[in-house]
Amino acid sequence: MITLAHIPIVDNHAHNLLRPEISSQYPYTRSFTEAYDDLLIKNHAHTTLCYRRSINDISVLLGCEAQESAIIRQRDKLGLEKLTRLCFERGKIASIILDDGFLPEKILPYTWHQQFTCVYRLIRLEVLAENLFTRAESFEDFINQFRYHLQSLPPDIVGFKSISAYRSGLAIELVEETDAKSCFQLFKEICHDQPLRLTNKILIDFILLQALEIAAQSQIPIQFHTGFGDRDLDLSLSNPLLLRTILEDSHFQNVPIVLLHGSYPYTREAAYLASVYPQIYVDFGLAIPFLSISGMRNTLRLLLELSPTSKILYSSDAHFIPELYYLGSLWGRKILKQVLDSAVEDGDLTESEANAIAYDILRDNARKLYKIN
Ligand SMILES: [Zn+2]
């Protein structure tokens, strides 16, 4: 039996917490579901296995009754900073890599999180492009600015993140510059100087090709949202197999690509890609801790079925509230232990190999990939 309760975690994909005045307007159940429809949250979100289990886990952490109302009283008593400190300490979270492009107007700044742990950041590519679009005077100016931002990175930026799965899908094609320019000019005419929500496939594919080219020069990893998410996403467009064009392209062979969320339910596909493409890595955040216990176990088993263990990464995909950082760590460790123990029992691994793999998945694979200490 291996032990991994003591291993410090590097969480390679998570988000900033909500500002307290925003968080207090959200139902507590909202943090345990990818749904945002009021009726679903009010009537059904509290009946998932994840929610029921999480309430129990959080009540143990806070030393209160396993009821949402008791937890909320206890949270109010502690305040956000003490609660966050408790979650990070109990979770033994040594570093986090934040995608701070999610709900930027509602979250605490990344500097706020530095009081609890080491914080690194990602650039959310589509959001950067949207911000630059409004200011750009021409297509050339837009692309030059976009490239400049990716080439002159502050030292705490360790990767890029793409949400193309949410916008135009993962089937990124090698689009021509002239086509991207026509789209840019058309949207400029429609929007004038108003903000643009970038959903146009040609423009998104074009900016991603720019990012891939820069990432290839600097060996910077790109995280792709894959698999499940909220209903803004067309799940059929978030299958990682759709990335084939860029995976096969010789220009991008040395860009490390991280498939987030175990690509659930395309987990077998993700493990397959990691087993045949040197540049592919897989992460299991969100699937752990949002699935049932057997769902989390199956996801990690499916990844380990085929993927090299040196390419599997831990993350929580925590967002909104600090409890998700704690729950990610709690269940990441428990499930990894169960799956590795059973691999030892099966004869796939020796106990010392399983121990080393636990360190790799929880900490060292991410340290190497993002070049962090
Ligand atoms: Zn995320």
Side-chain angles (χ1 to χ4, degrees):
M1 300 283 259
I2 64 165
T3 51
L4 38 73
H6 60 287
I7 302 175
I9 273 180
V10 174
D11 186 340
N12 100 110
H13 175 88
H15 301 271
N16 308 43
L17 302 183
L18 289 175
R19 298 206 311 269
E21 67 274 22
I22 302 284
S23 167
S24 61
Q25 296 164 11
Y26 279 42
Y28 195 57
T29 38
R30 171 89 196 258
S31 297
F32 303 90
T33 170
E34 284 292 293
Y36 47 70
D37 312 72
D38 290 342
L39 275 180
L40 200 153
I41 288 170
K42 185 163 171 268
N43 297 334
H44 303 288
H46 62 284
T47 69
T48 65
L49 303 194
C50 164
Y51 175 80
R52 290 171 188 274
R53 183 187 72 234
S54 299
I55 289 298
N56 209 36
D57 292 337
I58 295 165
S59 75
V60 173
L61 175 75
L62 301 183
C64 65
E65 217 185 315
Q67 296 289 337
E68 190 179 299
S69 54
I71 288 172
I72 288 170
R73 273 198 303 278
Q74 203 68 1
R75 296 176 100 244
D76 289 345
K77 226 188 274 174
L78 279 172
L80 184 61
E81 293 191 4
K82 274 192 185 153
L83 175 66
T84 307
R85 194 171 302 285
L86 179 68
C87 291
F88 275 79
E89 279 176 6
R90 292 288 188 83
K92 294 193 185 66
I93 299 159
S95 307
I96 58 176
I97 302 180
L98 286 180
D99 166 10
D100 54 1
F102 179 52
L103 303 176
E105 68 292 353
K106 294 184 173 173
I107 54 176
L108 288 158
Y110 76 92
T111 46
W112 181 87
H113 301 72
Q114 288 172 325
Q115 58 185 310
F116 311 109
T117 189
C118 280
V119 181
Y120 299 90
R121 287 189 299 148
L122 303 161
I123 289 191
R124 194 182 266 225
L125 297 166
E126 292 80 0
V127 170
L128 172 64
E130 285 170 345
N131 292 337
L132 296 173
F133 174 86
T134 321
R135 286 185 260 151
E137 312 229 314
S138 64
F139 177 72
E140 289 72 19
D141 180 30
F142 171 63
I143 293 302
N144 287 342
Q145 284 294 326
F146 185 75
R147 293 180 65 97
Y148 172 77
H149 274 82
L150 301 187
Q151 281 165 331
S152 43
L153 299 174
D156 61 341
I157 300 271
V158 295
F160 303 152
K161 154 89 189 282
S162 170
I163 51 162
S164 67
Y166 269 98
R167 300 293 178 86
S168 49
L170 292 176
I172 297 154
E173 289 163 82
L174 306 177
V175 295
E176 294 294 335
E177 182 163 352
T178 47
D179 295 335
K181 185 172 177 170
S182 308
C183 290
F184 175 90
Q185 285 164 340
L186 181 68
F187 285 111
K188 260 306 199 196
E189 272 169 37
I190 298 170
C191 295
H192 298 284
D193 287 330
Q194 294 305 304
L196 166 78
R197 187 174 186 275
L198 190 56
T199 54
N200 177 267
K201 186 166 183 334
I202 293 173
L203 266 181
I204 291 178
D205 287 1
F206 190 75
I207 61 139
L208 290 180
L209 295 176
Q210 306 303 307
L212 282 157
E213 196 187 303
I214 291 162
Q217 289 154 7
S218 52
Q219 297 273 295
I220 197 158
I222 306 187
Q223 299 184 353
F224 277 88
H225 177 101
T226 62
F228 75 139
D230 66 50
R231 58 176 266 198
D232 195 20
L233 175 102
D234 178 345
L235 188 62
S236 66
L237 300 178
S238 72
N239 184 332
L241 295 180
L242 295 171
L243 290 167
R244 182 168 167 82
T245 303
I246 57 164
L247 297 183
E248 284 293 320
D249 193 296
S250 61
H251 298 96
F252 310 135
Q253 296 285 304
N254 63 345
V255 181
I257 287 179
V258 180
L259 307 177
L260 295 173
H261 314 317
S263 303
Y264 179 89
Y266 306 111
T267 309
R268 277 206 163 103
E269 287 83 343
Y272 163 72
L273 292 173
S275 76
V276 292
Y277 287 100
Q279 69 269 43
I280 289 279
Y281 291 76
V282 287
D283 149 285
F284 52 80
L286 191 64
I288 296 176
F290 267 29
L291 302 180
S292 69
I293 292 174
S294 72
M296 295 191 286
R297 196 161 44 224
N298 288 341
T299 299
L300 204 47
R301 273 199 181 129
L302 287 176
L303 292 181
L304 280 159
E305 249 177 40
L306 197 55
S307 170
T309 56
S310 51
K311 300 173 108 206
I312 300 175
L313 304 165
Y314 168 86
S315 83
S316 61
D317 198 30
H319 53 282
F320 294 177
I321 59 169
E323 290 92 317
L324 293 178
Y325 278 98
Y326 170 71
L327 295 171
S329 148
L330 178 72
W331 286 100
R333 289 174 203 278
K334 279 193 191 185
I335 298 296
L336 186 58
K337 176 178 160 49
Q338 288 178 17
V339 172
L340 289 175
D341 275 339
S342 76
V344 172
E345 211 173 293
D346 288 346
D348 282 326
L349 298 170
T350 66
E351 201 167 296
S352 75
E353 285 169 336
N355 261 313
I357 289 169
Y359 273 94
D360 288 344
I361 292 177
L362 292 176
R363 186 187 69 181
D364 295 333
N365 290 343
R367 282 165 85 183
K368 279 181 213 153
L369 182 64
Y370 299 97
K371 302 181 189 79
I372 59 179
N373 295 320

